[in-house]
């Protein structure tokens, strides 16, 4: 309402929205309740049908009804004015209104004229010559042909569109109350979102809810297939369209997002001009930017219902056309959705392989495919004939099986894919296996068992490196997860072979290749951080290990499965964190969690070794005397396997030095101590506020302390945590589980 009041201070205000959006009701309420700048002449229009010579006499008549007298004498006659006289009459009205001393607001209701019409040109002339004495308020279902872009740039236009007209939750409650309907807050929010605040949809829902036995269930199921909604939208919008426009509406309703090119591809017609007219004439199409649009949810439901009723045999073919275009020009997720909806497993599999979707399926990429799509893809692949010799289907089936942890299914599909690729290998002029298929196969094979045989893993990583190097630069840039995975497998294999320096280089290269964390957290990033934590623990750098583990745990991805190797690794790193903090009892409790996590078919060797060494170290920490350097050396040698013993010895000495009995044995290397003084309650409170990135002044105000007192507490926190900066204090506190 306030925007309308501000708008009529300028020359032009437009209220544009679909049928039933409440446009006329809003303007009517404003005209009867707001402080008006002058008289209001309400001119009902005939939509797009305004014959020359009829529109302006109606305007003059409505102006006179509003008390605005015009000296033109001929407009009251019953005889229509000719088209030739329409232009002079518009100019005469503009001239007469421009001489007024008090503004007049002209409301043009249902003003849906075509561009270039005589009436539209006359209104443009009126705006140009009669402002500020004429303020125009246009109510329409589509943009009126009044040079809106020019006026928008000049700051002479106020616009209220579909989103501005949408009901809020509070307004929905008020509307329901008029029908004596009461819903819970969650049901109101759901209904408002489902209708997207569309006034007619909410009113139809309210009318149906009256006396309903189970309102909550009705709201959950309320959609565009409700009979009242279908009847309203079909009568008001769909059935009044010309046949070509109606066809375009029905066909494009299959698309979540649509632009002119995609519409043309689906209809197999030159739909550019028709699509532009559809956008211009239909407010149920919501702009998404860059030429893309989407249908209002309930309107799309009605269109889909009509399409399934009128042409069910065409739906699969339309989905396939959409998948073809999106596969070449659009997002892979949408292309796969349409390929699955078309019921074409071969094409869906080829899309997944050619577009290198394997990383998004098996969890290497930061933007995985939605679980719902993965489930539908699996069902689609299951419909492929067992006798079909389709390597892409076999590869897609293997990736999907791996994603749902079906090891046997993955192995079977990989064997079939391998046999088919061998058959397709270059021989007697046969076409070679596509590069994308070979990359997909290698990625699945490596992910299925990345470190079962480190030597084989190193060979596979080298092969994948070579394949990635052959990718076009733009393709490689779109799929950094493949090169990163090769680095990760190499780093993990080197780690398990005991070559820690090479392992560190490869694992850090993994993180660099994946990119910054805001590129998307992924299981690959988490597993890399976990291996870096293991590596740091093997070197005796327990503080660094705890930091890597904390970064892995704080990634915004689902926690690893208890049977996952990374879960066991995180547990064992936490055991050593407890040990070097002088908490052998907590370490002993944590050892039980490690033991359960190690109950997997192929336990990870470094995790097993560190778990065994931690158990022995707990026993040492609980003795009355510190162990000798020789005893520690023998213990570490017994479990070290391929790893250097220096780091393991350092970790044991750190744990013994931190033990509650106060052993004074110096840690080997003397480089790291982790015994932390206990923070006071007030210092912990300051630390918690610090973690919320509050300033010193804000912490003082929050805790009712002076700034100097807070600074004193901060200095004490820094000293006890052995840090010098705020960020380091927060990181260290999280490592020590103080936050």
């Amino acid at each position: 309402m306030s925007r309308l009041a501000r708008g009529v201070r300028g020359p032009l205000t437009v209220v544009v929205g679909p049928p039933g959006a409440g446009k006329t009701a809003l303007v009517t309420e404003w005209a009867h309740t707001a402080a008006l700048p002058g008289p209001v002449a309400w001119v009902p229009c005939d939509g797009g049908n305004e014959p020359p010579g009829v529109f302006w006499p109606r305007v003059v008549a409505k102006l006179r009804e509003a008390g605005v007298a015009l000296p033109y004498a001929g407009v009251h006659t019953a005889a229509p004015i000719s088209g030739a006289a329409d232009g002079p009459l518009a100019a005469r009205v503009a001239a007469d209104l421009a001489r007024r001393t008090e503004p007049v607001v002209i409301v043009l209701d249902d003003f849906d004229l075509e561009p270039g019409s005589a009436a539209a040109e006359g209104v443009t002339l009126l705006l140009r010559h009669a402002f500020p004495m004429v303020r125009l308020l246009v109510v329409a279902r589509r943009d009126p042909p009044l040079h809106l872009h020019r006026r928008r740039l000049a700051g002479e236009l106020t616009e209220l569109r579909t989103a501005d007209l949408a009901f809020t939750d509070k307004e929905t409650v008020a509307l329901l109350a008029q029908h004596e309907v009461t819903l819970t807050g969650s049901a109101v929010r759901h209904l408002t979102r489902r209708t997207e605040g569309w006034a007619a949809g909410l009113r139809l829902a309210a009318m149906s809810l009256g006396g309903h036995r189970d309102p909550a269930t009705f709201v959950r199921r309320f959609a565009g297939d409700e009979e009242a909604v279908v009847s309203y939208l079909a009568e008001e919008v769909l059935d009044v369209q010309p046949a070509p426009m109606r066809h375009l509406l029905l066909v494009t309703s299959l698309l979540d997002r649509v632009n002119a090119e995609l519409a043309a591809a689906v209809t197999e017609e030159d739909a550019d001009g028709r699509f532009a007219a559809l956008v211009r004439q239909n407010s149920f199409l919501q702009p998404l930017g860059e030429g893309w649009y989407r249908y209002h949810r309930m309107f799309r439901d009605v269109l889909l219902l009509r399409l399934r009723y009128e042409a069910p045999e065409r739906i699969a073919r339309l989905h396939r056309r959409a998948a073809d275009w999106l596969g070449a020009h659009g997002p892979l997720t949408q292309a796969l959705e349409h390929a699955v909806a078309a019921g074409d497993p071969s094409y869906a599999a080829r899309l997944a392989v050619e577009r290198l979707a394997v990383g998004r399926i098996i969890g290497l990429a930061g933007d995985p495919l939605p679980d719902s799509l993965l489930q539908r893809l699996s069902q689609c692949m299951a419909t492929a004939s067992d006798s079909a010799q389709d390597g892409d289907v076999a590869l897609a089936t293997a990736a999907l099986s791996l994603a749902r942890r079906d090891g046997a299914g993955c192995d079977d599909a990989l064997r079939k894919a391998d046999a088919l690729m061998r058959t397709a290998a270059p021989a007697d002029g046969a076409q070679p296996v596509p590069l994308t298929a070979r990359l997909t196969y290698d990625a699945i094979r490596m992910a299925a068992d990345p470190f079962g045989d480190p030597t084989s893993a190193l060979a596979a990583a080298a092969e994948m490196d070579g394949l990635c190097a052959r990718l076009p630069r733009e393709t490689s840039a779109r799929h950094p997860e493949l090169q990163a995975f090769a680095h990760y497998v190499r780093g993990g294999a080197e780690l398990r072979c005991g070559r820690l320096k090479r392992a560190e280089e490869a694992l850090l290269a993994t993180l660099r290749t994946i990119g910054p964390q805001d590129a998307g957290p992924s299981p690959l990033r988490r597993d890399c951080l976990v291996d870096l934590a293991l590596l740091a623990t093997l070197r005796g750098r327990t503080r660094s290990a705890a930091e890597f583990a904390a970064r892995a745990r704080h990634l915004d991805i689902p926690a690893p499965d208890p049977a996952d190797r990374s879960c066991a690794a995180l547990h064992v790193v936490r055991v050593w964190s407890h040990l070097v903090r002088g908490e052998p009892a907590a370490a002993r409790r944590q050892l039980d969690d490690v033991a359960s996590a190690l109950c997997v078919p192929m336990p990870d060797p470094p995790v097993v070794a560190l778990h065994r060494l931690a158990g022995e170290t707990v026993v040492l920490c609980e003795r009355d005397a510190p162990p000798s350097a020789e005893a520690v050396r023998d213990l570490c040698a017994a479990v070290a396997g391929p790893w250097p013993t220096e780091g393991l010895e350092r970790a044991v000495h750190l744990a013994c030095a931190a033990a509650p009995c106060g052993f004074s044995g110096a840690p080997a290397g003397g480089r790291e101590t982790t015994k932390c003084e206990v923070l006071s309650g007030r210092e912990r409170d300051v630390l918690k506020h610090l973690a919320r990135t509050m300033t010193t002044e804000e912490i003082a105000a929050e805790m009712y302390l002076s700034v100097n007192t807070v600074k004193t507490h901060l200095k004490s926190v820094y000293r006890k945590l052995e840090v010098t900066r705020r960020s380091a204090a927060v990181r260290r506190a999280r490592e020590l589980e103080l936050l």
Side-chain angles (χ1 to χ4, degrees), residues 261-349:
E261 293 180 2
L262 180 53
V266 173
T267 59
E268 291 189 331
E269 300 172 359
D270 183 8
D272 284 359
R274 196 180 308 155
F275 184 77
L278 179 67
V279 170
R280 187 173 64 251
Q281 297 174 13
N282 201 307
S283 294
F284 277 116
L285 267 174
Q286 305 295 320
L288 300 174
E290 300 182 354
W292 287 92
Y293 297 84
R294 72 168 181 86
Y295 285 109
H296 185 284
R297 187 177 301 173
M298 299 195 77
F299 185 50
R300 186 186 180 207
D301 288 344
V302 171
L303 295 176
L304 286 171
L305 189 68
R306 282 298 185 94
L307 179 62
R308 295 188 185 107
Y309 175 74
E310 296 180 10
E313 73 286 351
R314 299 184 58 197
I315 292 178
R317 188 163 66 253
L318 294 172
H319 277 300
R320 177 55 192 273
R321 291 175 191 166
D324 281 338
W325 190 91
L326 288 165
H329 307 287
L332 175 62
T333 301
Q334 294 182 26
L336 288 173
E337 290 278 7
H338 285 287
V340 170
D344 192 338
S346 295
Y347 182 69

Side-chain angles (χ1 to χ4, degrees), residues 11 30 78 80 122 127 143 161 189 201 217 244 253 293 296 361 436 441 445 453 456 510 587 593 617 668 671 673:
W30 165 80
L127 278 172
D143 281 359
R161 297 191 172 272
R189 288 190 294 274
T217 301
S253 67
Y293 297 84
H296 185 284
I361 293 175
T436 54
Y441 175 82
R445 180 165 59 98
D453 179 1
S456 298
T510 303
D593 293 331
T617 303
R671 293 177 56 187
T673 59

Side-chain angles (χ1 to χ4, degrees), residues 89-161:
L89 178 56
R92 179 70 181 273
V93 170
D96 289 341
L97 290 176
R99 286 192 290 268
R100 287 177 54 81
T101 58
E102 180 188 23
V104 57
V105 180
I106 300 178
V107 178
L108 300 180
D109 193 10
D110 199 17
F111 188 76
D112 292 307
L113 277 65
E114 293 294 333
S117 67
E121 293 299 327
V123 172
T124 301
L125 181 147
L126 177 67
L127 278 172
R128 185 183 307 125
H129 296 290
F131 181 76
M133 290 302 109
V134 171
R135 320 288 174 81
L136 200 61
L137 200 164
V138 177
V139 182
R141 295 185 178 185
R142 61 188 184 187
D143 281 359
L146 300 176
H147 307 292
L148 298 188
H149 292 295
R150 184 186 307 165
R151 295 193 173 276
R152 191 179 291 119
L153 288 173
E156 298 175 346
L157 175 64
T158 298
E159 302 173 86
L160 279 79
R161 297 191 172 272

Side-chain angles (χ1 to χ4, degrees), residues 354-440:
E354 289 180 351
R355 295 282 296 271
L356 290 173
V358 60
R360 301 180 64 185
I361 293 175
I362 64 177
L364 304 180
D367 56 339
L369 294 179
D371 290 340
S372 58
L373 176 56
L374 292 178
Q375 183 176 359
R376 294 179 63 202
L377 272 172
S378 297
Q379 295 168 351
C380 184
M381 294 303 114
T383 64
S385 172
D386 291 337
S387 61
Q389 300 299 300
D390 192 326
D392 290 337
V393 170
L395 287 172
T397 301
L400 292 163
S401 298
L402 183 60
R404 62 176 183 269
R405 298 181 180 275
D406 178 6
C410 177
D411 291 342
D412 290 343
L414 270 183
R415 280 193 293 270
K416 183 174 182 179
D418 182 44
L420 291 171
M421 287 195 296
R422 290 178 185 276
T423 303
D428 300 327
Q431 291 295 319
V433 176
L435 177 60
T436 54
R438 293 180 61 188
L439 266 171
T440 299

Side-chain angles (χ1 to χ4, degrees), residues 473-514:
R473 181 175 299 178
E474 60 276 11
T475 303
S476 181
R478 286 197 300 269
H479 298 283
E481 70 276 2
L482 298 178
Q483 183 69 71
F485 188 48
H487 289 319
Y488 167 69
V489 171
R490 180 182 301 105
E494 297 284 12
L495 170 64
R496 285 151 184 86
C497 289
R499 296 186 284 267
L500 301 188
K501 180 64 176 176
R502 294 182 185 179
E504 183 180 41
E505 291 173 352
L507 291 172
L508 292 176
T510 303
L511 294 181
R512 287 195 301 271
T513 306
I514 295 175

